[in-house]
Amino acid sequence: MKKYILGSLLMVSYSFSFPSHGQPSPLVPVQPQVQGCIGDCASCHQITKEEAKKILSKKFDVKEILSIYINNGFFEIYYKNSKGEKEKINLFFGKDMATREIIFLDDK
């Protein structure tokens, strides 16, 4: 009886050890593979004028946010400074980096 139980346990554990029909084993956690954005950027990435002003005011002279456009990987934000001049800044989707100009390396 012990041999039968031990044999059954070994067969069951062996069947869960290897993927069957291309499927991952239930004992191995599978992490989804996300490789960047797919589709419309606005479906995942959003920012309000208030949030943009709060973030950008830490480093830039932002009096009023005029408009925000979503571009490939960043928010293009137009604002007025305290002198009333219109300026543009690009805020990356991570909301932790900004730059005045984006240089695309694949443009010719």
Side-chain angles (χ1 to χ4, degrees):
M1 183 69 167
K2 289 181 184 179
K3 287 182 182 182
Y4 176 75
I5 294 173
L6 182 60
S8 297
L9 287 174
L10 285 174
M11 286 187 346
V12 169
S13 65
Y14 181 80
S15 66
F16 283 107
S17 298
F18 299 99
S20 61
H21 306 292
Q23 298 299 318
S25 166
L27 302 177
V28 179
V30 177
Q31 299 295 327
Q33 298 294 318
V34 178
Q35 297 182 6
C37 300
I38 300 171
D40 180 27
C41 297
S43 65
C44 295
H45 303 283
Q46 300 173 4
I47 191 168
T48 63
K49 288 183 177 183
E50 294 79 19
E51 184 182 12
K53 183 176 180 183
K54 181 180 176 182
I55 292 169
L56 295 175
S57 292
K58 294 176 184 176
K59 299 281 182 176
F60 302 97
D61 178 22
V62 178
K63 184 72 172 171
E64 176 189 2
I65 301 293
L66 302 173
S67 58
I68 301 172
Y69 300 98
I70 294 180
N71 212 322
N72 188 20
F74 58 92
F75 301 103
E76 195 172 278
I77 301 172
Y78 291 88
Y79 66 94
K80 279 188 182 177
N81 61 23
S82 59
K83 296 177 185 176
E85 300 167 335
K86 184 178 174 181
E87 295 189 49
K88 180 187 90 165
I89 194 77
N90 300 300
L91 179 65
F92 289 92
F93 284 161
K95 301 178 184 175
D96 59 346
M97 293 185 291
T99 183
R100 298 259 181 224
E101 183 181 352
I102 301 288
I103 300 170
F104 292 101
L105 300 177
D106 57 352
D107 285 350
K108 295 180 181 182

